[in-house]
């Protein structure tokens, strides 16, 4: 008799699909055997140690590449005057090519590989290159030999022990000036700020090299190279090292769901075929993103991508990954136009078994190398088992993003709160797959992009340009600030096992992000963050910043409890939500006009530890009650305010 799977014990509604779940578990084992993994996945994921450029000895370099369908490869670069005939590579076995270069390949010298197939010659960037250089005159990229010596790490990686408070950021747009910011500037100016606020993890977008800046880093070309726009590999290592000194975990936004169509820089058509690493023909095209799609059923693809995971964990001592576009990977329809209303949709012929196995292998490998690393899946479909172990019937991640929550909250901003369905809000906040953890967030980075709006900008719009002075009492601004504080607090307290904030939203950054493009004259004006707004004591942004800091400090305390929030009441007519978590009682009064009087147990003692209405956060309440324990006969939550009580 088979041992019952934990995934079905947790969710008996999956019992009809037990066969499908066991089949994917079996396929995982079969794939490992097919790959020839004799001991560990880490021993298999060593492509970066074999392919690419390696110094054989002080007098010789060796360069290896895999190009199964190519007829000839030659190496050219600064070192040989860009002579495409000077360094022919020889075919060895299994589609591999190799050349040994006598003498030196100078550090920082530029290279390309010339590939010939069926009489057609074309240039490519080596697949495992660790650095690129972009010509400022024509935008073309070259590979760069990068061998500066060992980096002197000072601090060990961080394994988050407490609750994850994630600060999501984009290095290039983290500066005040209208230009591309860099790793060093971020380390000096932004990282200390993040630490002071109380965030415990840094999630960095757009780290892997990408030709098109406006892709937000999601059209990757070079899967082993740090983006050259932001600085050198050593500067990125210095940023990671400093984050570790501050006790901040560093999570990279990992894009293994697709790749750029560019053929010079990226893996697409590297050997002259459209099927070396991707699906051939239309199956290899993402219909909405205009990118190419990996064929996860190919051992060479698994070797390439898994080697990348090992590379980033070891080379840069990262503390985890947020896997982008997981829904697109899981299904052959990429989740486009599918509502996922019943379990059968997760186990149908539209499910990509090869992609599921890749994700299982990726999670297993990452945990094998760094058991404490954090793995987050961007999956809006709700695939059962995403955050359960593989041997439990799952896929192996730690968290999934609670992606429905910010979409639901965005709809709130478009209606008066008297029409809000608080029961639906509580459902969106607290619904989980059984036994699985989620990261809650109030608004996504997509909402900050031009064409959409952040919550506060959606509620206040152009009023923010003229009425954010502290001496200016404007009802639109007061409403927007009050509701944004409440929605952020209820998300952080009840919306997940971790919390995520996108850079600048903590103080209500007033403008969208618009990357330089033809439509805006290639301007960087809106591709930045205006940190000075939160530091200006004459403006209200500082109130929101102070609240964010106080909220994280409160919820990081152990008294907050690790168990899910327990609902006490949802009073839709009064627009009130009451819940308890650990020793904290939360009173949320969303009513636009009426205060709410909460009557706690008269025999207990409470202390008011946070109120969104305190004057320090831009409200009208002085907050003196927080200084002492009270035997309360009632505590008032003003209109559009939340109160947090600590039970003695």
């Amino acid at each position: 008799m088979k041992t019952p799977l934990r995934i079905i014990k947790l969710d008996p509604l999956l019992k009809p699909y037990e066969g499908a779940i066991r089949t994917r578990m079996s396929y995982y084992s079969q794939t490992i055997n097919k790959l020839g993994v004799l001991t560990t996945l880490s021993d298999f994921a060593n492509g970066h140690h074999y392919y690419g450029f390696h110094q054989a000895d002080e007098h010789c370099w060796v360069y290896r590449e895999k190009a199964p369908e190519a007829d000839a490869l030659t190496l050219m670069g600064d070192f040989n005057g860009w002579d495409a005939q000077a360094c022919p590579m020889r075919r060895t076995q299994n589609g591999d090519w190799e050349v040994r270069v006598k003498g030196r390949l100078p550090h920082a010298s530029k290279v390309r590989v010339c590939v010939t197939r069926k009489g057609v010659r074309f240039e490519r960037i080596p697949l495992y290159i660790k650095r690129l250089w972009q010509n400022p005159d024509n935008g073309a990229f070259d590979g760069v030999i990068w061998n500066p010596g060992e980096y002197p790490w000072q601090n060990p990686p961080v394994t988050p022990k407490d609750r994850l408070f994630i600060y999501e950021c984009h290095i290039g747009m983290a500066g005040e000036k209208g230009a591309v910011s860099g790793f060093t500037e971020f380390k000096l100016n932004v990282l200390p700020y993040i630490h002071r606020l109380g965030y415990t993890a840094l999630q960095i977008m757009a780290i892997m090299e990408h030709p098109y800046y406006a892709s937000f880093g999601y059209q990757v070309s070079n899967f082993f190279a740090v983006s050259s726009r932001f600085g050198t590999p050593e500067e990125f290592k210095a940023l990671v090292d400093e984050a570790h000194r501050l006790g901040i975990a560093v999570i990279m936004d990992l894009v293994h769901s697709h790749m750029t169509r560019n053929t010079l820089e990226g893996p697409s058509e590297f050997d002259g075929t459209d099927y070396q690493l991707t699906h051939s023909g239309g199956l290899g095209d993402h219909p909405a993103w205009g990118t190419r799609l990996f064929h996860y059923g190919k051992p060479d693809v698994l070797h390439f991508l898994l080697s990348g995971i090992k590379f980033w964990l070891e080379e840069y001592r990262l503390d985890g990954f947020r896997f982008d576009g997981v829904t697109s990977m899981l299904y052959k329809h990429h989740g486009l136009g599918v509502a996922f209303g019943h379990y059968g949709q997760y186990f149908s012929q539209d499910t990509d078994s090869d992609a599921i196995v890749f994700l299982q292998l990726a999670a297993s490998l990452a945990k094998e190398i760094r058991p404490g690393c954090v793995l987050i899946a961007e999956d809006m479909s709700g695939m059962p088992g995403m955050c359960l172990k593989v041997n439990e019937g799952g896929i192996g991640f730690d968290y999934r993003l609670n992606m429905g929550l910010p979409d639901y909250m965005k709809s709130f901003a478009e209606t008066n709160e008297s029409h809000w369905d608080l029961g639906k809000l509580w459902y969106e906040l607290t619904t989980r797959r059984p036994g699985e953890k989620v990261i809650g967030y109030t608004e996504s980075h997509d909402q900050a992009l031009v064409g959409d709006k952040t919550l506060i900008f959606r509620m206040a719009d152009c009023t923010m340009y003229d009425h954010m002075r502290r001496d200016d009492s404007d009802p639109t601004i007061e409403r927007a600030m009050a509701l944004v504080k409440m929605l952020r607090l209820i998300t952080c307290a009840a919306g997940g096992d971790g919390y995520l904030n996108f850079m600048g939203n903590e103080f209500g950054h007033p403008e969208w992000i618009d990357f330089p493009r033809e439509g805006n004259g290639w301007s960087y004006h809106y591709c930045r963050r205006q940190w000075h707004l939160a530091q200006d004591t004459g403006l209200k942004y500082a109130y929101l910043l102070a609240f964010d800091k106080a909220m994280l400090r409160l919820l990081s305390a152990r008294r907050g409890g690790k168990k899910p929030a327990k609902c006490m009441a949802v009073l839709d007519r009064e627009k009130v939500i009451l819940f308890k978590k650990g020793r904290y009682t939360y009173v949320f009064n969303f009513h636009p006009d009426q205060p709410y009087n909460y009557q706690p147990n008269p025999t207990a003692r409470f202390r008011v530890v946070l109120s969104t209405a305190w004057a320090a956060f831009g409200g009208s309440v002085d907050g003196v009650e927080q200084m002492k324990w009270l035997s309360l006969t009632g505590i008032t939550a003003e209109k559009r305010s939340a109160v947090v009580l600590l039970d003695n």
Side-chain angles (χ1 to χ4, degrees):
M1 184 176 180
K2 292 182 178 179
T3 303
L5 293 174
R6 183 167 184 261
I7 188 173
I8 295 175
K9 288 182 178 179
L10 290 168
D11 187 355
L13 292 177
L14 287 170
K15 181 64 178 176
Y17 307 98
E18 180 176 4
I21 295 171
R22 289 192 182 276
T23 295
R24 78 183 185 189
M25 295 175 70
S26 176
Y27 192 34
Y28 170 80
S29 299
Q30 292 170 18
T31 301
I32 287 181
N33 292 333
K34 182 174 70 174
L35 296 176
V37 178
L38 300 178
T39 52
T40 65
L41 279 170
S42 182
D43 289 337
F44 169 76
N46 280 323
H48 54 298
H49 292 311
Y50 179 78
Y51 297 110
F53 293 88
H54 302 280
Q55 195 161 6
D57 55 51
E58 59 180 335
H59 304 296
C60 178
W61 282 73
V62 61
Y63 166 55
R64 299 186 186 95
E65 200 68 79
K66 180 174 280 292
E69 299 297 325
D71 298 323
L73 272 73
T74 59
L75 177 64
M76 60 183 185
D78 291 341
F79 73 100
N80 66 3
W82 294 96
D83 184 349
Q85 307 298 325
C87 287
M89 302 178 69
R90 67 182 183 90
R91 185 190 291 270
T92 55
Q93 59 184 353
N94 300 322
D96 290 350
W97 297 79
E98 178 179 300
V99 63
R100 292 183 178 268
V101 181
K102 300 297 183 181
R104 294 181 63 244
L105 277 176
H107 171 65
S109 62
K110 302 176 186 65
V111 293
R112 288 187 184 183
V113 59
C114 192
V115 181
T116 302
R117 182 173 187 267
K118 293 185 177 180
V120 179
R121 178 183 291 179
F122 40 88
E123 295 178 7
R124 296 284 188 262
I125 302 296
L127 284 181
Y128 288 81
I129 203 75
K130 296 180 181 178
R131 179 158 173 76
L132 277 80
W133 174 81
Q134 187 174 22
N135 189 316
D137 296 325
N138 59 21
F141 284 86
D142 290 314
V144 176
I145 300 296
W146 200 253
N147 188 38
E150 291 293 321
Y151 179 81
W153 292 98
Q154 301 297 311
N155 304 284
V158 170
T159 298
K161 295 182 176 60
D162 298 319
R163 191 175 179 211
L164 276 179
F165 294 121
I166 303 172
Y167 196 87
E168 184 183 26
C169 68
H170 183 287
I171 298 295
M173 49 166 285
E176 283 263 4
K177 61 183 183 298
V180 178
S181 186
F183 295 126
T184 300
E185 184 178 356
F186 189 95
K187 181 189 72 172
L188 295 176
N189 299 332
V190 185
L191 199 55
Y193 161 85
I194 295 169
H195 177 60
R196 289 195 298 271
L197 287 179
Y199 287 89
T200 59
L202 181 67
Q203 182 175 301
I204 310 181
M205 308 171 68
I207 289 299
M208 294 190 287
E209 188 65 86
H210 50 288
Y212 185 43
Y213 190 44
S215 75
F216 229 160
Y218 291 128
Q219 294 182 9
V220 172
S221 56
N222 307 94
F223 288 78
F224 294 81
V226 166
S227 177
S228 54
R229 291 183 180 89
F230 310 142
T232 68
E234 282 59 48
E235 289 169 333
F236 180 48
K237 289 176 181 179
L239 189 163
V240 174
D241 207 16
E242 177 63 11
H244 289 165
R245 186 187 71 81
L246 296 172
I248 297 174
V250 181
I251 300 168
M252 188 176 85
D253 211 342
L254 188 73
V255 185
H256 280 176
S257 48
H258 59 144
M259 68 174 81
T260 181
R261 297 189 68 88
N262 294 31
T263 54
L264 167 62
E265 298 91 358
S268 181
E269 301 182 25
F270 182 83
D271 68 354
T273 69
D274 72 343
Y275 52 79
Q276 181 183 355
L277 295 175
T278 61
H279 286 283
S280 181
L283 288 176
D285 291 320
H286 195 292
W289 297 344
T291 50
R292 296 288 292 164
L293 299 172
F294 287 104
H295 188 330
Y296 303 106
K298 288 192 167 188
D300 284 349
V301 173
L302 297 178
H303 191 231
F304 180 74
L305 294 177
L306 293 175
S307 296
I309 289 172
K310 180 175 180 177
F311 169 79
W312 289 102
L313 284 174
E314 293 188 340
E315 180 74 13
Y316 292 99
R317 297 194 178 187
L318 299 180
D319 306 298
F321 301 106
R322 178 262 199 191
F323 278 64
D324 174 71
V326 168
T327 304
S328 176
M329 301 167 71
L330 289 172
Y331 311 97
K332 296 171 186 176
H333 51 57
H334 311 302
L336 299 174
V338 181
F340 295 100
H342 59 85
Y343 276 174
Q345 291 173 291
Y346 301 115
F347 305 102
S348 74
Q349 61 184 4
D350 291 319
T351 304
D352 191 331
S353 299
D354 291 326
I356 290 177
V357 167
F358 164 67
L359 291 168
Q360 291 174 317
L361 291 169
S364 299
L365 172 67
K367 293 295 186 180
E368 183 181 296
I369 296 170
R370 284 280 314 283
C373 74
V374 176
L375 301 178
I376 304 170
E378 189 205 27
D379 171 35
M380 52 74 62
S381 76
M383 169 62 78
M386 178 61 68
C387 301
L388 295 177
K389 295 177 181 178
V390 174
N391 62 10
E392 296 174 341
I395 295 178
F397 282 70
D398 298 306
Y399 302 87
R400 77 166 86 238
L401 292 175
N402 191 358
M403 298 181 70
L405 186 56
D407 285 340
Y408 187 70
M409 289 192 173
K410 184 166 65 172
S411 69
F412 271 17
E414 299 169 345
T415 59
N416 185 279
E417 50 270 38
S418 61
H419 300 297
W420 290 5
D421 184 342
L422 296 189
K424 183 66 163 59
L425 173 61
W426 186 253
Y427 174 85
E428 293 290 346
L429 283 164
T430 58
T431 300
R432 313 273 192 276
R433 287 284 181 215
E436 301 191 38
K437 297 186 292 185
V438 303
I439 300 292
Y441 55 125
T442 310
E443 49 199 332
S444 71
H445 59 238
D446 289 332
Q447 290 171 239
L449 289 169
V450 68
D452 205 339
K453 296 177 181 179
T454 61
L455 276 183
I456 192 167
F457 206 46
R458 189 172 287 272
M459 288 189 278
D461 206 72
C462 59
T463 310
M464 295 186 71
Y465 292 121
D466 300 313
H467 298 282
M468 285 296 284
R469 298 185 306 277
R470 291 197 181 195
D471 59 359
D472 186 341
S473 179
D474 180 88
T476 299
I477 294 298
E478 290 174 359
R479 173 182 180 269
M481 289 183 60
L483 292 178
V484 162
K485 286 182 289 184
M486 294 180 71
L487 292 175
R488 292 174 71 81
L489 177 59
I490 201 168
T491 300
C492 197
D497 306 276
Y499 174 75
L500 180 143
N501 166 68
F502 178 67
M503 180 173 67
N505 286 351
E506 69 277 5
F507 65 85
H509 197 285
E511 291 179 339
W512 52 82
I513 302 160
D514 193 6
F515 282 87
R517 54 187 173 84
E518 187 176 1
N520 64 17
W522 303 105
S523 170
Y524 288 87
H525 180 72
Y526 292 107
C527 198
R528 60 191 176 113
R529 296 284 86 178
Q530 301 181 67
W531 305 107
H532 72 276
L533 295 175
Q535 308 305 320
D536 190 330
T537 56
L539 298 176
K540 296 178 181 178
Y541 297 100
Y543 289 142
L544 296 173
L545 184 67
F547 176 75
D548 197 75
K549 183 176 182 180
M551 177 181 74
L552 296 188
R553 184 170 61 247
L554 174 73
L555 295 178
S556 64
R558 293 181 180 178
R559 291 172 299 199
K562 294 184 178 181
K563 293 183 179 181
K566 182 179 180 181
C567 184
M568 299 163 62
V570 175
L571 308 174
D572 208 51
R573 187 180 64 179
E574 293 86 354
K575 297 303 169 193
V576 169
I577 293 179
L578 303 170
F579 65 91
K580 193 171 182 64
K581 188 171 183 181
R583 290 174 56 194
Y584 293 130
T585 299
Y586 295 80
V587 184
F588 281 81
N589 177 22
F590 289 99
H591 202 287
D593 302 308
Q594 301 296 325
Y596 178 79
N597 185 258
Y598 170 64
Q599 303 285 336
N601 185 342
T603 63
R605 292 207 307 163
F606 292 86
R607 186 155 61 106
V608 180
V609 291
L610 188 68
S611 171
T612 60
W614 281 345
F617 310 138
S620 58
V621 177
D622 61 19
V624 295
E625 69 269 31
Q626 68 178 307
M627 303 305 295
K628 57 186 179 181
W629 291 99
L630 303 170
S631 296
L632 296 174
T633 57
I635 185 72
T636 298
E638 303 295 334
K639 68 175 185 178
R640 297 192 187 111
S641 75
V643 176
V644 185
L645 306 176
L646 175 62
D647 181 7
N648 185 13

